Amino acid sequence: MNLEGKIAHLKKLNILGIPKDKFTLIQSAWFPLMGIRINGDLDFIIESSLIPLYKDKILKIKGLNIKINNNNYHQFGCISDDDLIKNYSVIVDGYKFCYFKFYYRILKQRRHSLQKKDSKGIPDIDNVNDFFKNNKHLQHLFKNIPLHTWGIP
C-alpha cells in the first residue's frame, strides 16, 4: 500500500528526511486507513533528540503539526514522547502509528459540537464506533495490530 497517496501531507513529512523509526503518526492519520475520512493535517510526534533539528522546519510547512509533550499521549503508562514512539506505537506499512486508544480516548472526551465530521456530516466518533462494531479492525491491513492497542472494551 502506498501510504503517501492515502495520508494527506505524509509526503511533506518524508521530504524532511526524519527516519521512520524516529516518529509516530497520531490522531486522524489513522482515519484514511480506517476508511473514515482524509486527514486535514498530519499530526505526529518525533523523538525529543530531533526536535532542535527539525522543529523550525516543520512549523514552516503547511499541513504538518508536530506535538511536543502533549499530555493526551502521556496516558496508559506512557511517560514521554520517546516512550510513545518506542513502546506505544504499531507499524503499518513501514510507518509507526501511535496506539489508536490514545486518540479514541480524546474523541470520546470531545463535546459533540466539537466533533469533526465526514463529507456526509457523520461525526468522527460515530464513524469510529461503526468501524469497531463492524469488526473492520480485524481486516487484513490491521491483522498485526494487537487488540489492546485499539482501546475498545
Side-chain angles (χ1 to χ4, degrees), residues 72-110:
N72 286 319
Y73 295 92
H74 299 169
Q75 308 284 329
F76 306 111
C78 179
I79 58 170
S80 69
D81 291 352
D82 292 346
D83 190 28
L84 183 79
I85 294 165
K86 290 180 178 94
N87 301 308
Y88 293 85
S89 295
V90 294
I91 297 175
V92 178
D93 203 37
Y95 289 89
K96 285 190 173 192
F97 286 78
C98 159
Y99 289 175
F100 188 77
K101 68 182 177 180
F102 290 92
Y103 192 43
Y104 197 25
R105 183 177 173 274
I106 293 167
L107 286 172
K108 289 190 278 189
Q109 290 178 340
R110 279 188 187 157

Side-chain angles (χ1 to χ4, degrees), residues 48-62:
S48 58
S49 65
L50 298 179
I51 292 170
L53 297 172
Y54 290 101
K55 181 181 174 188
D56 289 339
K57 293 176 191 173
I58 292 165
L59 294 175
K60 294 176 185 173
I61 301 173
K62 186 173 169 51

Side-chain angles (χ1 to χ4, degrees), residues 1-10 13 23-45 63-65 67 73 90 92 95-100 103-104 107 110 116 124 128 131 141-142 145 150:
M1 172 182 289
N2 175 14
L3 292 189
E4 268 193 13
K6 201 161 183 67
I7 299 173
H9 310 291
L10 186 56
L13 180 58
F23 67 86
T24 191
L25 303 174
I26 61 173
Q27 300 189 178
S28 64
W30 278 102
F31 285 174
L33 305 181
M34 296 166 77
I36 291 175
R37 65 173 172 81
I38 197 74
N39 53 303
D41 60 6
L42 183 60
D43 297 297
F44 60 98
I45 292 173
L64 294 185
N65 189 12
K67 303 278 187 186
Y73 295 92
V90 294
V92 178
Y95 289 89
K96 285 190 173 192
F97 286 78
C98 159
Y99 289 175
F100 188 77
Y103 192 43
Y104 197 25
L107 286 172
R110 279 188 187 157
K116 291 186 180 174
D124 287 343
V128 169
F131 174 84
L141 178 63
F142 308 113
I145 298 177
W150 289 106

